[in-house]
Amino acid sequence: MKARVIIGANLGDEGKGTVVANYTKGNDNVLNILTNGGAQRGHSILTKDGNVTYQHFGSGTYYGADSYYSRFFILNPMQFTKEYNELLVKPKNVFRDKDCRWSTIFDMMANAFECFEKKTHATCGMGIWNTIKRYNELGSMSFDTFMSLDYRVKIKWLTSVKEYYEKKIKIPVDQEVIWNSEFIMRHFIMDCTFMKMHTKTVGLNEITGYENLIFENGQGLLLSDTGKDTPYTTPSQTGSTYANMLLIDMGILDENGNTVGDNDVMLHYVTRPYLTRHGDGGMESEMPRNNLSKDVNNDRTNNWNEFQGEFRYGKLDIQSLKDRVRNDASDLPFEIELTHCDEMDRVSEFEKEFDKVNIYDSPLV
């Protein structure tokens, strides 16, 4: 079995979607595993049908891959329903781990209220941090358990989530009617029902029939969880850690991280020739894009998000990149996926520092 792990090497927006789609195209029996994070990801690919952005599905969906949500992925029934109905190509199968955490409408709304109140751009508006904190403080309930409840009990439980936030945040006056409406709970339950109908609960080690596994990470190495509640990182391990744990669960790696039998594991670290970042937070050597190169375009694949703010650019230090990639990869083999090379020619610099560099002159796949 061939397993690839696609990892953002920097601050996100490196081109992970393009790389996933590239390795899916032309291959049969691909299972696209969403390793970490949640629907705050926005992985875009440029196709003959135009730009396609995936948040709750793998970027290999367009080329026939099925999606799997690992236990480290946070489900979002609202985004799942919206996105599924908009997919140009729908997957034959969508699987999810029974232990996936999941966001409610109140996690998302609380996230938005806090963002607007603080006037910051440190979120994607999907309620990821809120969901995790709520799980830790209010207790957990699996998605399947929720779906097994009577409608009235579902409403009662959602009301407890609503009241949890009312003790923590100020509800904007112009949002009180929506916040207090039972309609949003009814609509949310409908989205949950839709997601339940279109997914199957199964352990990753129980799935068979796939020759190619593509683990699609969210965010990038410089945004990985610090163990603290910091506003400009993500509450997730963004490198190889989670994928390695899942590969051990599947018997593809042993407990020491060595490949078992004829299985083949490759890590793919994705980067542009320059740095990019959405929203607030530190960024080394930030500068206007035209100062990097006259050929650097306004971004062609990432969509503007009111919560994230402006798309930012900076100079990439290849030695720093090399250090963090080698530290994350440990003893596993890896390759560099260098995207947007038509905008800045630094190929020879990368080839001097890395044994294997795959070149992408265009985001078109």
Side-chain angles (χ1 to χ4, degrees):
M1 183 178 290
K2 176 70 177 181
R4 302 181 187 274
V5 185
I6 313 301
I7 300 170
N10 307 313
L11 291 157
D13 304 302
E14 299 95 347
K16 296 182 288 295
T18 298
V19 174
V20 170
N22 180 68
Y23 283 119
T24 305
K25 187 177 182 180
N27 287 315
D28 295 324
N29 302 318
V30 176
L31 183 63
N32 197 165
I33 300 161
L34 281 70
T35 318
N36 69 315
Q40 87 274 36
R41 63 174 64 201
H43 294 179
S44 298
I45 63 172
L46 190 60
T47 74
K48 62 181 178 59
D49 293 315
N51 191 53
V52 184
T53 300
Y54 295 102
Q55 292 181 245
H56 215 297
F57 292 85
S59 298
T61 300
Y62 184 84
Y63 291 107
D66 288 340
S67 287
Y68 183 91
Y69 308 128
S70 89
R71 68 179 188 269
F72 303 111
F73 186 82
I74 297 175
L75 304 172
N76 187 310
M78 299 80 73
Q79 180 61 30
F80 177 93
T81 301
K82 176 180 182 295
E83 193 170 334
Y84 186 92
N85 287 325
E86 294 174 351
L87 289 175
L88 295 175
V89 178
K90 300 188 192 306
K92 292 180 181 178
N93 297 292
V94 182
F95 306 101
R96 53 184 169 82
D97 191 280
K98 66 180 178 59
D99 293 325
C100 285
R101 289 171 292 188
W102 53 292
S103 299
T104 71
I105 183 63
F106 296 112
D107 298 309
M108 291 181 65
M109 292 178 71
N111 183 192
F113 296 162
E114 292 171 314
C115 179
F116 289 130
E117 181 182 3
K118 295 177 181 178
K119 294 181 172 59
T120 59
H121 296 96
T123 180
C124 297
M126 286 290 163
I128 299 297
W129 270 116
N130 300 73
T131 300
I132 292 173
K133 291 177 184 176
R134 191 244 311 156
Y135 260 73
N136 292 338
E137 297 177 14
L138 193 62
S140 63
M141 176 182 288
S142 75
F143 179 75
D144 287 319
T145 298
F146 176 79
M147 292 307 300
S148 70
L149 300 175
D150 177 83
Y151 177 80
R152 289 172 297 177
V153 183
K154 286 187 177 79
I155 292 293
K156 183 178 180 180
W157 185 82
L158 288 172
T159 300
S160 72
V161 175
K162 174 177 175 288
E163 292 172 346
Y164 162 82
Y165 282 113
E166 289 171 348
K167 297 174 183 177
K168 289 182 167 294
I169 65 172
K170 180 181 179 181
I171 311 302
V173 174
D174 61 346
Q175 297 295 317
E176 286 181 351
V177 172
I178 296 176
W179 177 266
N180 291 315
S181 170
E182 188 174 317
F183 170 78
I184 64 170
M185 285 194 267
R186 292 202 305 268
H187 196 283
F188 174 73
I189 292 172
M190 290 172 59
D191 288 338
C192 290
T193 301
F194 185 91
M195 189 171 76
K196 178 73 163 56
M197 290 173 55
H198 291 85
T199 60
K200 303 173 186 177
T201 306
V202 63
L204 192 52
N205 61 343
E206 300 174 289
I207 294 179
T208 59
Y210 293 95
E211 299 174 2
N212 298 283
L213 304 178
I214 299 181
F215 292 80
E216 183 173 356
N217 281 24
Q219 299 81 48
L221 291 178
L222 289 171
L223 296 174
S224 196
D225 189 8
T226 61
K228 301 177 181 179
D229 184 2
T230 51
Y232 304 123
T233 59
T234 187
S236 171
Q237 295 297 322
T238 59
S240 61
T241 300
Y242 290 159
N244 287 350
M245 293 171 67
L246 297 170
L247 287 165
I248 290 171
D249 289 347
M250 299 180 74
I252 294 174
L253 294 179
D254 64 22
E255 293 293 336
N256 296 315
N258 301 312
T259 306
V260 176
D262 295 331
N263 294 305
D264 183 11
V265 177
M266 180 65 69
L267 307 181
H268 300 263
Y269 291 91
V270 187
T271 182
R272 302 188 192 206
Y274 50 87
L275 281 178
T276 55
R277 178 165 195 161
H278 264 119
D280 303 335
M283 184 178 184
E284 63 181 64
S285 306
E286 182 174 3
M287 61 183 66
R289 63 180 177 84
N290 288 335
N291 288 11
L292 290 167
S293 166
K294 63 180 178 61
D295 295 320
V296 175
N297 299 313
N298 274 320
D299 196 67
R300 293 169 285 184
T301 54
N302 286 277
N303 301 318
W304 185 85
N305 181 301
E306 62 179 323
F307 297 105
Q308 289 181 306
E310 297 302 321
F311 196 68
R312 299 157 60 193
Y313 298 82
K315 183 176 175 59
L316 174 68
D317 182 86
I318 296 180
Q319 188 58 53
S320 295
L321 171 70
K322 184 177 180 180
D323 291 343
R324 61 178 169 269
V325 166
R326 289 191 168 175
N327 180 64
D328 184 72
S330 187
D331 295 327
L332 285 173
F334 69 87
E335 299 177 357
I336 296 297
E337 307 289 334
L338 186 58
T339 66
H340 296 75
C341 290
D342 58 331
E343 297 182 352
M344 180 183 286
D345 183 8
R346 298 186 70 186
V347 173
S348 61
E349 297 178 60
F350 279 86
E351 291 179 333
K352 181 179 178 181
E353 298 295 335
F354 296 101
D355 294 335
K356 179 65 174 176
V357 181
N358 301 314
I359 309 302
Y360 294 75
D361 286 327
S362 168
L364 182 67
V365 288

